[in-house]
Amino acid sequence: MHKEFMKLSDEIHRYIVLELFLKTLERDRDHISQLKMKDVFDAWYELKINETFQEFKKLRDFLYKKGCKIEKQKSDDFMTYYFILFRGFDETRSYSNIALRNWVSEEMKRVLGMKFLTPSDRK
């Protein structure tokens, strides 16, 4: 395995989590219409979606400049597979859907200012 690729492992993981978190924010925003404070929550969601998108875009551009491309390959009820291409090397990573949901949860805790775990906390 390429040393540079190994150094990018945390950034690749962050890319995947941010992409899913962005989709989750967008989906959840569509379901706040029944809340009494929907205008306030809608504004908050819009702000967080924009912030997350900028963070995601910056990370995507960074990985692209390093020669890394990440694509969701397939998904089933239990696992999601990502194809990662890095300067001629390729790898397929499999993630448990439950683990991905937990990482997106940790990202939401971070955004809300709560105590959260990082990948390095779990090593």
Side-chain angles (χ1 to χ4, degrees), residues 16-71:
I16 292 167
V17 170
L18 277 178
E19 181 179 39
L20 292 172
F21 180 62
L22 191 56
K23 288 178 183 178
T24 302
L25 284 175
E26 290 169 345
R27 181 192 162 280
D28 286 355
R29 179 187 58 190
D30 295 338
H31 296 284
I32 61 172
S33 62
Q34 301 300 318
L35 299 175
K36 289 187 180 203
M37 296 304 220
K38 73 177 181 94
D39 293 338
V40 175
F41 280 110
D42 193 45
W44 182 85
Y45 270 95
E46 207 51 49
L47 176 68
K48 293 306 170 186
I49 287 169
N50 289 334
E51 286 175 2
T52 303
F53 179 75
Q54 292 304 318
E55 188 177 349
F56 175 74
K57 185 178 177 223
K58 192 183 298 184
L59 182 57
R60 182 187 65 199
D61 293 345
F62 168 78
L63 289 170
Y64 179 78
K65 287 178 184 173
K66 293 286 187 178
C68 187
K69 184 177 179 182
I70 304 164
E71 289 182 4

Side-chain angles (χ1 to χ4, degrees), residues 5-20:
F5 181 71
M6 294 304 290
K7 289 180 184 177
L8 292 176
S9 188
D10 285 345
E11 283 85 1
I12 291 168
H13 175 78
R14 180 114 179 99
Y15 174 93
I16 292 167
V17 170
L18 277 178
E19 181 179 39
L20 292 172

Side-chain angles (χ1 to χ4, degrees), residues 32 40 54 92 94 101 104:
I32 61 172
V40 175
Q54 292 304 318
T92 299
S94 55
R101 186 190 68 221
V104 170

